């Protein structure tokens, strides 16, 4: 029997029962609201996680790179939404998937690209389903629900030789910057309002809009009214992380992902405990610090129980060193050099991307190793 | 002929003539000062770069992970310093390299680990060279030059059955937080003073100290007096980056590394240009912002010439999106959706680690693809 603490460090640990519970929770929520769940696999980038996440669902998934689309298609997934604004240069590797019976749905938010994509697809001899991206408050990408561009782009996609207008899509990424569940509910309300309004405008103009796709883990977990939405695309709900915990989206026992590290030094004069998980093992994501100052690069937990060690955070990182400020002198004896800890990351998507595989843990035993896809 | 702009995006570009020039500059500097150059390959993690970086040198290299040590040994490197505090748990994969004639030099800064490592090495039937880590102001790891621990740890390593005391080693990582070349010179002065003082104390106590190893790119590029130092271990000098540029360590024409990206959107209402290089292609490293506010996640440059586009930075990132605040309305026409740009990263070590390979560029032509090592 291999226990997590027996693994070399740093290693990425994925707690299987916690993962399964998170998947079941989201599956239940979406079923209760009558919404299709199209899990976003940019977080997991793993065939095994994708199989579990789509169990009992329609099988549709969301990806964020061409490489993910190709990898998941290679693992048998047949309905893939590539939810980043498309450019014609990315169509060539995707087009052959259509011939193999894989439905690839693309995304755009502007007339020039809609024209270029529909022409390029036609030249490649294929027709892509394309979603129209709507900005419902995130202000990253998308047309505004009330804009003239909405109808213009919709019409190009609908009429173009290489595209079908598949619907509208938004990502309420600004829900990550909320300070409470109540704020998230407001964002979820605005996400629905804007998206459904865009869908209604398209339909009123005689354009099809079968899919109304929203999503972000906070809005999928906290929203109250999803009427008019047909599918949600959350991603990080599978693993959850410290940021989601501080947002009030999940509980401490829902954190499925952690990085196992070894204590490699005691810098007593500087009151720092050093671990062998730094910028490359944890990432430099400090998003959760918006909600809790000084949480740094992650929460240090007991290696065996995964319970947080009071007031111990990864306060600074260099490439392969994590530095944890020590304010409690008993820690030097409790965490001697050579002992192990687990770090709960700020942002699971970014920390997971530092690693090539998950060490899958079930009730204290490492039972499997699941490969992650990388690249683009 | 493949030009950089013909590559899929995001892609990591490495300009070969710039790399070679950077290597030659550092090689000359170290030769002028009579110091061995033991390049730190944590930045490059590439056999091809390592071959170029050790050309005309002794062949010794520095690494930051066990995986790098194994990979470079597999590529024929015979003298490898693993410059992160060692724990006994990491000796097993390294010990077999010694039997193959590879010299592996380790690092420690405390008595408990020195004892544990010397005993574990003896149990494995090998003797490791071990450097004693000295804190010369970085306060990450290392014993203080004047401390009692210096002699205690030195003696354990010297007398232990599985270790040889190889010398003293320091990393002046705090040179990255300087504000000017003059400040870096002060750090370089303190680095030398502390390190040489530690070496002298060991020798005065009858302990051997053949190697006196310092290094960081800023102190290696800006220091004036290295007397008593026998080797330097800079790493990022090979590629340089925006942080080194702002520190005054290099010039704009020395930046060898960039990320090719496609403009995937114009968010006119929000005055944002979107690119397909986000947190996973650039990293979330914002170190250069210490020196120039609002530089964000990197400097946007012309794809062909690699020259900066005035006032255009990657001001925010999500996983696969980079957002560039647009303050000059002519940019919308100059950088249409579908066009390409190059991003000069803040911190080359961390950005390079996001990618699996370098696309090697020589005078506007992509001439090769060099694999990077990952993992631990």
């Amino acid at each position: 029997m291999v226990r997590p603490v027996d693994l070399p460090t740093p290693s990425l640990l994925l707690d299987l029962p916690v993962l399964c519970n998170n998947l079941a929770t989201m599956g239940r929520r979406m079923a209760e609201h009558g919404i299709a769940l199209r899990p976003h696999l940019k977080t997991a980038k793993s065939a095994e996680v994708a199989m579990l996440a789509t169990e009992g669902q329609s099988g549709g998934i969301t990806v964020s790179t061409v490489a993910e689309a190709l990898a998941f298609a290679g693992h048998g997934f047949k309905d893939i939404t590539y939810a980043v604004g498309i450019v014609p240069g990315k169509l060539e590797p995707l087009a052959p998937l259509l011939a193999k019976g894989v439905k690839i749905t693309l995304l755009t938010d502007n007339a020039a690209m809609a024209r270029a994509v529909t022409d390029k697809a036609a030249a490649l001899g294929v027709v892509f389903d394309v979603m129209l991206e709507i900005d419902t408050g995130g202000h990253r990408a998308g047309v505004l629900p009330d804009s003239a561009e909405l109808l213009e782009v919709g019409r190009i996609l609908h009429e173009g030789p290489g595209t079908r207008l598949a619907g509208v899509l938004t990502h309420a990424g600004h829900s990550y910057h909320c300070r409470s569940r109540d704020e998230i509910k407001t964002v979820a309300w605005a996400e629905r309002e804007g998206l459904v309004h865009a869908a209604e405008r398209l339909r009123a103009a005689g354009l099809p809009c079968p899919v109304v796709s929203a999503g972000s883990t906070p809005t999928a977990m906290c929203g109250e009214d999803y009427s008019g939405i047909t599918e949600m695309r959350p991603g990080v709900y599978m693993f959850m992380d410290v940021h989601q915990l501080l947002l009030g989206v999940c509980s401490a026992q829902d954190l499925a992902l952690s990085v196992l590290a070894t204590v490699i030094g005691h810098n007593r004069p500087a009151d720092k405990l050093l671990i062998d998980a730094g910028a490359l093992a944890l990432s430099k994501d400090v998003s959760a610090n918006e909600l809790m100052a000084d949480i740094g690069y992650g929460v240090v937990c007991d290696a065996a129980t995964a319970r947080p060690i009071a007031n111990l955070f990864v306060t600074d990182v260099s490439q392969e060193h994590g530095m944890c400020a020590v304010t409690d002198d008993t820690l030097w004896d409790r965490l001697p050099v050579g002992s192990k800890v687990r770090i709960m990351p700020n942002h699971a998507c970014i920390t997971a991307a530092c690693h090539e595989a998950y060490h899958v843990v079930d009730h204290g035993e490492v039972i499997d190793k699941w490969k992650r896809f990388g690249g683009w």
Side-chain angles (χ1 to χ4, degrees), chain A residues 215-239:
Chain A
S216 81
T217 289
T219 58
M221 287 293 286
C222 304
E224 289 169 330
D225 175 12
Y226 299 100
S227 46
I229 290 175
T230 68
E231 69 172 27
M232 295 286 277
R233 311 177 321 283
V236 76
Y237 73 98
M238 303 174 195
F239 298 163

Side-chain angles (χ1 to χ4, degrees), chain A residues 243-272:
Chain A
H243 195 164
Q244 300 300 317
L245 175 66
L246 295 179
L247 278 169
V249 167
C250 70
S251 306
Q253 65 266 30
D254 301 328
L255 305 183
L257 200 78
S258 59
V259 175
L260 184 75
T262 299
V263 176
I264 59 165
H266 282 179
N267 189 334
R268 298 290 285 263
D271 283 319
K272 279 181 200 159

